[in-house]
């Protein structure tokens, strides 16, 4: 059976080359970050690297060897890993013209579901991979619901994912009875607690997801379609892309990364809890925006998102080492987000001229 477009036209009746090579239809490649525009994208990445270097210098000056120690650097990477994996999924959704406010609650639900007595008993009888599979599937299922509501139910993404935020967090509280669930599977804890070559497994997972995300977004038809759908959905539809189905896939992908993030957080805390992932959605959105992903869709960069996550995590670490308040951290993060949005508007204005 051949696929159909959102308008019901069989894709088999459309030129095959349109399906595989449809470019992002709005703005030059350099403005979108998905084409050959190396100067603009290089400028953005260079700015992020410079910001990260400045933060590192501030950390060294204010905290000395305490900041530059290998243990502290690994701490930064551990903290960045969970947010980073979810932020990569968020980059796909925002690039495709959507938004998801529910990833923190979905992560909590996935962690609770994967650590129930029944799930852990099944893992003991078979293999600890059951915990991982359960968390990822729960996250993907929540993403599927979000995607179906947005793409086929035509519910505004803000409203659909806000409803999921409330529903997933509430379901997690019901399943866990608001109690922290302790992980007793030693195989799970041993695997994810390992540090091959001195690098924590969750950090290696973050790096692997980042590489796979970059390849998927920049070197595959799926990525090109994501740019096209986010840049101009109608042009993408006319090019033969099933916009609704692709949008749903993007939310499923984000849900799966939230489930994987739950696994990583479970390994760090050895628990599943309905309180996991609180405000994670804001950190993920902020990291993507800082990295250069346009909130209106059509442009996204995995490398920028990774740098955005590292900037926020390093900032938090520097503030913590200097005993500065959480309120001061929030103010600094807010200023960084505003500055990033203003820079996005400036780049967009240049692209139009």
């Amino acid at each position: 059976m051949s696929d159909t477009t959102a308008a019901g036209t069989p894709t088999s009746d459309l030129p095959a080359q349109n399906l595989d090579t449809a470019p992002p239809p709005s703005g030059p490649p350099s403005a979108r970050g998905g084409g050959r525009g190396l100067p603009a994208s290089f400028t953005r990445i260079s700015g992020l690297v410079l910001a990260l270097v400045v933060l590192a210098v501030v950390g060294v000056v204010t905290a000395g060897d305490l900041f530059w120690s290998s243990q502290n650097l690994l701490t930064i990477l551990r903290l960045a890993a969970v947010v980073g994996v979810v932020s990569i999924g968020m980059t796909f959704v925002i690039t495709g013209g959507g938004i998801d406010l529910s990833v923190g609650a979905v992560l909590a639900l996935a962690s609770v579901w994967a650590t129930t007595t029944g799930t852990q008993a099944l893992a003991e009888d078979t293999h600890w991979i059951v915990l991982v599979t359960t968390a990822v599937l729960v996250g993907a299922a929540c993403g599927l619901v979000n995607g179906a509501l947005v793409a086929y139910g035509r519910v505004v993404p803000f409203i659909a994912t806000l409803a999921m935020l409330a529903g997933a967090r509430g379901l997690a509280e019901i399943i866990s009875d608001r109690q922290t669930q302790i992980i007793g599977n030693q195989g799970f804890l041993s695997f994810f607690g390992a540090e091959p070559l001195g690098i924590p497994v969750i950090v290696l997972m973050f790096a692997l997801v980042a590489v796979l995300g970059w390849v998927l977004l920049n070197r595959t038809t799926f990525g090109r379609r994501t740019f096209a759908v986010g840049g101009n959905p109608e042009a993408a539809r006319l090019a033969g892309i099933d916009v609704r189905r692709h949008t749903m896939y993007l939310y499923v992908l984000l849900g799966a990364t939230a489930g994987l993030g739950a696994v990583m957080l479970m390994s760090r805390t050895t628990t599943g809890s309905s309180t996991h992932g609180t405000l994670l959605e804001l950190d993920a959105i902020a990291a993507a925006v800082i990295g250069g992903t346009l909130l209106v869709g059509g442009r996204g960069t995995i490398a920028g998102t990774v740098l955005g996550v590292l900037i926020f995590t390093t900032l938090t670490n520097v503030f913590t080492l200097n005993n500065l308040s959480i309120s001061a951290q929030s103010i600094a993060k807010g200023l960084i987000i505003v500055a990033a949005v203003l820079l996005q508007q400036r780049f967009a204005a240049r692209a139009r001229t």
Side-chain angles (χ1 to χ4, degrees):
M1 181 180 295
S2 61
D3 294 335
T4 58
T5 67
T9 304
T11 55
S12 58
D13 294 338
L14 296 168
Q17 61 182 11
N18 288 344
L19 292 173
D20 296 329
T21 61
S26 61
S30 59
R32 295 187 306 271
R36 300 179 180 177
L38 295 179
S41 60
F42 180 78
T43 299
R44 285 191 293 271
I45 296 298
S46 298
L48 292 171
V49 172
L50 178 61
L52 186 58
V53 170
V54 169
L55 281 175
V57 171
V58 171
V60 171
V61 171
T62 59
D65 293 338
L66 190 60
F67 173 84
W68 201 245
S69 67
S70 59
Q71 191 60 41
N72 186 62
L73 295 179
L74 287 177
T75 297
I76 292 174
L77 292 176
R78 284 192 188 95
L79 294 174
V82 176
V83 180
V85 166
V86 178
S87 298
I88 289 170
M90 185 69 75
T91 299
F92 277 88
V93 167
I94 296 178
T95 302
I99 196 79
D100 192 338
L101 303 180
S102 68
V103 288
V106 169
L107 182 148
L109 177 59
S111 76
V112 165
W113 207 314
T115 55
T116 58
T117 302
T119 306
Q120 293 206 58
L122 180 60
E124 289 291 345
D125 293 338
T126 54
H127 195 277
W128 57 260
I129 199 69
V130 170
L131 303 180
V132 177
T133 304
T134 300
V136 174
L137 288 179
V138 168
C142 291
L144 179 63
V145 173
N146 282 335
L149 288 174
V150 172
Y152 295 97
R154 301 188 184 279
V155 180
V156 177
F158 181 91
I159 300 300
T161 58
L162 186 62
M164 177 60 74
L165 182 154
R169 186 76 67 179
L171 183 56
E173 292 175 352
I174 292 173
I175 293 175
S176 65
D177 196 23
R178 298 192 176 185
Q179 301 296 314
T180 299
Q181 300 175 163
I182 307 299
I183 299 176
N185 190 294
Q186 292 304 311
F188 176 89
L189 297 176
S190 298
F191 179 84
F192 288 100
E195 295 187 1
L197 302 178
I199 303 175
V201 166
I202 63 172
V203 175
L204 295 175
M205 291 172 63
F206 175 31
L208 178 61
V209 171
V211 171
L212 293 177
W214 185 89
V215 172
L216 184 62
L217 186 62
N218 295 282
R219 292 293 183 267
T220 67
T221 300
F222 185 88
R224 290 193 291 271
R225 289 177 176 177
T226 300
F227 285 119
V229 168
N232 191 325
E234 180 61 18
R237 184 186 68 81
L238 294 174
I241 299 173
D242 190 329
V243 174
R244 290 183 295 180
R245 185 175 60 186
H246 190 85
T247 297
M248 185 174 67
Y249 287 165
L250 292 175
Y251 280 95
V252 171
L253 175 63
L254 176 53
T257 60
L260 185 58
V263 173
M264 298 164 71
L265 191 56
M266 286 158 50
S267 69
R268 268 184 47 207
T269 63
T270 69
T271 64
S273 172
S274 61
T275 62
H276 281 338
T278 302
L279 299 181
L280 176 64
E281 56 277 354
L282 300 184
D283 289 338
I285 293 170
V289 171
I290 294 298
T293 300
L294 283 181
L295 280 172
V296 295
R299 188 185 78 196
T301 162
I302 299 299
T305 295
V306 170
L307 288 171
V309 170
L310 292 177
I311 286 172
F312 270 135
T313 309
T314 304
L315 177 69
T316 299
N317 182 261
V318 170
F319 274 54
T320 301
L321 291 177
N322 288 279
N323 296 317
L324 297 176
S325 68
I326 295 178
S327 300
Q329 294 180 35
S330 300
I331 292 172
K333 286 183 178 181
L335 291 175
I336 292 174
I337 294 171
V338 170
V341 172
L342 290 176
L343 286 174
Q344 280 194 1
Q345 292 177 345
R346 183 177 179 182
F347 279 123
R350 285 182 176 181
R352 288 192 295 266
T353 58

